[in-house]
Amino acid sequence: NRQRQTHLPMRKTPSNNRWPNRSQLESFYGRPGTGHTMLELPFPMRIAWNKRQTINRVTVHSKCADSLDRILKEILQVYGYDEIKRLGIDLFGGIYNNRNIRGGSVPSVHAYAASIDLDPERNQLRWGSDRAVFAKPVYSKMIDAFEREGWGSLGRERGYDFMHFQASTI
């Protein structure tokens, strides 16, 4: 039932970042749960499951922290905080979670703190572009910001899991 086509244009600008593929995650990032740092966010983010609670920093892998910082600063510059909040881009669904991929036996990119989920309620894992809000054209500049830094977008590249962006190839 997934709709594979999106309303979003494909990547426009190649990234200088060289993120690992699935088989290189541990050799690049180290063992899951290691190499983390705290990143001060350029705008407050609301916890997706408790929107009254906000955070100002997140745990992320040190190798992709500067890249995520640039992405979020670009998103802030492009949209402004009021629009970020109106669009739900500030709804934080998580970065670090030492777990395996859904239904699998290998660590998730989240286990390396090298991926972020945004607005998970309105961009659910199995939703295609017919339902996910991040498939709408107004979000294309946000996804472009991730892709300019080389972060993979499952939504744009595979047509599902629009909430998920990772410092790894898809």
Side-chain angles (χ1 to χ4, degrees), residues 4-163:
R4 294 286 182 183
Q5 296 295 318
T6 70
H7 299 107
L8 304 174
M10 289 306 287
R11 186 176 288 141
K12 295 177 180 155
T13 307
S15 169
N16 291 326
N17 291 326
R18 299 289 178 243
W19 301 120
N21 64 33
R22 159 67 46 206
S23 66
Q24 300 165 328
L25 288 173
E26 190 162 327
S27 64
F28 184 84
Y29 287 116
R31 287 178 299 115
T34 65
H36 299 171
T37 190
M38 295 302 294
L39 173 65
E40 296 294 326
L41 297 169
F43 54 87
M45 297 187 95
R46 295 176 288 161
I47 301 294
W49 54 92
N50 180 3
K51 294 177 184 81
R52 292 183 312 270
Q53 183 180 351
T54 60
I55 58 172
N56 294 303
R57 61 187 193 151
V58 293
T59 300
V60 64
H61 198 282
S62 60
K63 288 188 174 181
C64 58
D66 289 343
S67 178
L68 182 58
D69 186 49
R70 286 189 299 273
I71 292 165
L72 296 175
K73 285 176 178 173
E74 179 179 339
I75 290 169
L76 180 59
Q77 181 181 18
V78 167
Y79 290 96
Y81 181 65
D82 289 341
E83 187 70 351
I84 285 171
K85 196 168 179 180
R86 185 186 76 77
L87 292 171
I89 295 169
D90 70 321
L91 292 170
F92 179 77
I95 293 180
Y96 173 62
N97 185 352
N98 197 350
R99 65 170 175 79
N100 288 342
I101 60 171
R102 303 254 183 245
S105 59
V106 297
S108 163
V109 183
H110 287 288
Y112 299 96
S115 59
I116 186 170
D117 289 344
L118 300 173
D119 196 356
E121 185 178 330
R122 299 183 310 147
N123 297 285
Q124 294 184 24
L125 174 65
R126 302 204 191 288
W127 286 7
S129 63
D130 57 327
R131 295 184 71 188
V133 298
F134 284 176
K136 294 178 181 178
V138 69
Y139 295 95
S140 65
K141 291 180 181 176
M142 174 195 72
I143 297 172
D144 289 346
F146 278 100
E147 290 184 343
R148 266 192 285 286
E149 285 287 326
W151 288 55
S153 163
L154 281 170
R156 188 173 276 176
E157 294 188 32
R158 300 274 172 90
Y160 66 93
D161 202 3
F162 280 82
M163 76 176 106

